[in-house]
């Protein structure tokens, strides 16, 4: 029974990872990013202030994450500045530590100022191991502060995952 459970979890994790890598071929990520922004605002309208006050932000409409012991995550996103699309980005992550299960979620990264935005859109950007995100849920307080000019929110779309850090995420950007 134990081996069957491991096999099922591994299959779910591999499916989620394959699904997220399939997203690299999607041409309409910016439309899905716009939908994700609406979903973030619909889930908790208090997040709207960050969309209107941030220097820029990156939206990942769907990140697939899965693992059993060792895992991985990936997703495509859209970069905004002043509310307009200015680039595209890809996120990959190979988390260290124990993970079990699979999860799909949306993520938005806000940049407080030009310095933080330029750091993200430079050659390569990676979150430090201790970086975490604020989970956006209905009615919850999202009155949080930027850390090093960056603020991260996630919104679970489905799945079950024992792991909550965004540390170790690596980003590749391409400005339009």
């Amino acid at each position: 029974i134990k081996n069957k459970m491991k096999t099922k979890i591994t299959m779910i994790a591999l499916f989620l990872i394959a699904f997220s890598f399939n997203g690299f071929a999607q041409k309409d990520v910016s439309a899905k990013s716009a939908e994700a922004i609406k979903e973030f605002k619909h889930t908790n309208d208090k997040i709207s202030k960050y969309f209107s006050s941030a220097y820029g932000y990156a939206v990942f409409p769907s990140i697939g994450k899965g693992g059993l012991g060792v895992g991985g995550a990936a997703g495509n996103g859209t970069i905004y500045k002043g509310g307009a699309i200015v680039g595209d980005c890809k996120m990959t992550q190979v988390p260290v530590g124990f993970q079990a299960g699979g999860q799909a979620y949306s993520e938005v990264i806000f940049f407080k100022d030009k310095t933080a935005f330029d750091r993200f859109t430079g050659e390569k950007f990676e979150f430090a191991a201790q970086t975490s995100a604020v989970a956006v849920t209905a009615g919850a307080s999202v009155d949080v502060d930027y850390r090093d000019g960056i603020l991260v929110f996630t919104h679970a779309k489905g799945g079950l995952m024992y792991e909550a850090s965004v540390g170790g995420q690596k980003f590749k950007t391409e400005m339009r």
Side-chain angles (χ1 to χ4, degrees):
I1 293 179
K2 199 173 192 180
N3 284 338
K4 282 186 178 184
M5 191 64 167
K6 280 185 180 181
T7 302
K8 285 181 182 180
I9 291 173
T10 302
M11 294 303 290
I12 291 169
L14 291 173
F15 173 77
L16 283 171
I17 292 169
F19 178 75
S20 66
F21 280 111
N22 185 36
F24 288 129
Q26 293 175 354
K27 295 180 181 175
D28 207 8
V29 174
S30 52
K32 292 184 186 296
S33 293
E35 290 174 21
I37 291 169
K38 287 180 188 175
E39 182 62 28
F40 271 101
K41 290 178 179 179
H42 175 75
T43 301
N44 192 317
D45 62 351
K46 295 173 186 167
I47 199 170
S48 294
K49 68 180 178 181
Y50 296 104
F51 283 105
S52 60
S53 67
Y55 179 84
Y57 48 92
V59 178
F60 294 87
S62 185
I63 295 175
K65 184 178 204 174
L68 182 61
V70 176
N76 289 337
T78 307
I79 303 169
Y80 295 81
K81 184 170 114 181
I85 295 172
V86 295
D88 303 301
C89 48
K90 293 181 181 179
M91 185 284 296
T92 57
Q93 180 181 22
V94 179
V96 177
F98 179 77
Q99 295 101 45
Q103 179 182 44
Y105 62 96
S106 299
E107 181 172 295
V108 61
I109 305 167
F110 292 102
F111 310 104
K112 185 176 185 174
D113 51 31
K114 182 178 182 345
T115 303
F117 182 83
D118 289 348
R119 209 169 59 233
F120 180 82
T121 57
E123 282 295 307
K124 289 182 181 175
F125 180 83
E126 182 176 347
F127 281 136
Q130 72 276 11
T131 305
S132 59
V134 177
V136 175
T137 56
S141 174
V142 293
D143 211 12
V144 292
D145 221 351
Y146 287 89
R147 184 171 183 182
D148 295 324
I150 294 174
L151 182 57
V152 183
F153 288 96
T154 61
H155 179 260
K157 296 172 78 170
L160 179 61
M161 187 83 182
Y162 179 73
E163 199 264 333
S165 172
V166 295
Q169 288 184 347
K170 296 179 183 182
F171 300 90
K172 183 178 178 186
T173 60
E174 185 176 310
M175 303 308 284
R176 294 185 183 180

